Amino acid sequence: MIKRKLDRYVQVLNNIDDDQDKYLWIMDFGKNSKPMEDENRTRYFEVAGCQSQTWLVPHFIDDKIYFTADSAALISKGMVCIIADVYSGSTAQDINDFDQREFEKMNLNTLLTPGRNNGVNSMLKKIKYYATE
């Protein structure tokens, strides 16, 4: 399920020719994502290593984990919301078994600044952290 969701985003981004348009699509995705409850914007849910304040909140329902996400910057919000969507509804085992290098198919290293790429890696680490709790 994780791979299928990720591949959907890869396909969307690959169908956009211009890098600036990809950047705008990611920001629009973040703008249009469900807002996060203010009480979840805490240090505990903050993603360390992001250039702007970014939060990733797990919700454990039965044996699955769902995520909500937000960020003070639109590009970070778009990326963290994509990542949250890709992993939402998965089991901890599925998350731990998934090879996060699959995200390289999004070609973010050419689209985002090195600082933003580090932030994405921090978001992915936070997902793995929640899956091992």
Side-chain angles (χ1 to χ4, degrees):
M1 180 169 85
I2 296 170
K3 184 172 178 1
R4 189 175 68 242
K5 285 183 179 180
L6 176 60
D7 286 347
R8 188 178 69 220
Y9 287 111
V10 168
Q11 185 177 19
V12 167
L13 289 173
N14 284 342
N15 285 333
I16 302 171
D17 292 328
D18 184 64
D19 281 352
Q20 189 66 30
D21 290 339
K22 289 179 186 181
Y23 205 71
L24 291 171
W25 185 89
I26 292 169
M27 289 192 300
D28 283 342
F29 186 86
K31 268 194 246 182
N32 294 317
S33 294
K34 182 180 170 193
M36 177 182 280
E37 302 291 330
D38 284 338
E39 65 262 14
N40 288 326
R41 288 185 183 90
T42 66
R43 192 168 203 77
Y44 180 76
F45 296 122
E46 195 167 342
V47 179
C50 288
Q51 289 183 320
S52 58
Q53 283 189 300
T54 301
W55 302 271
L56 188 58
V57 181
H59 307 276
F60 299 90
I61 302 170
D62 298 323
D63 66 336
K64 294 190 170 31
I65 308 172
Y66 297 86
F67 296 95
T68 54
D70 200 0
S71 181
L74 282 177
I75 191 68
S76 296
K77 181 174 180 162
M79 285 310 309
V80 76
C81 288
I82 288 170
I83 290 169
D85 183 57
V86 165
Y87 283 104
S88 281
S90 302
T91 65
Q93 185 68 49
D94 289 341
I95 292 169
N96 285 315
D97 289 347
F98 185 71
D99 184 356
Q100 292 186 328
R101 288 178 296 189
E102 289 282 323
F103 276 87
E104 292 172 11
K105 292 179 187 176
M106 293 182 82
N107 295 316
L108 297 175
N109 57 335
T110 60
L111 184 64
L112 302 177
T113 64
R116 294 270 185 233
N117 272 308
N118 287 338
V120 168
N121 288 327
S122 296
M123 294 169 196
L124 294 171
K125 283 181 191 170
K126 190 84 167 175
I127 292 278
K128 288 277 192 181
Y129 168 79
Y130 287 138
T132 58
E133 276 193 327

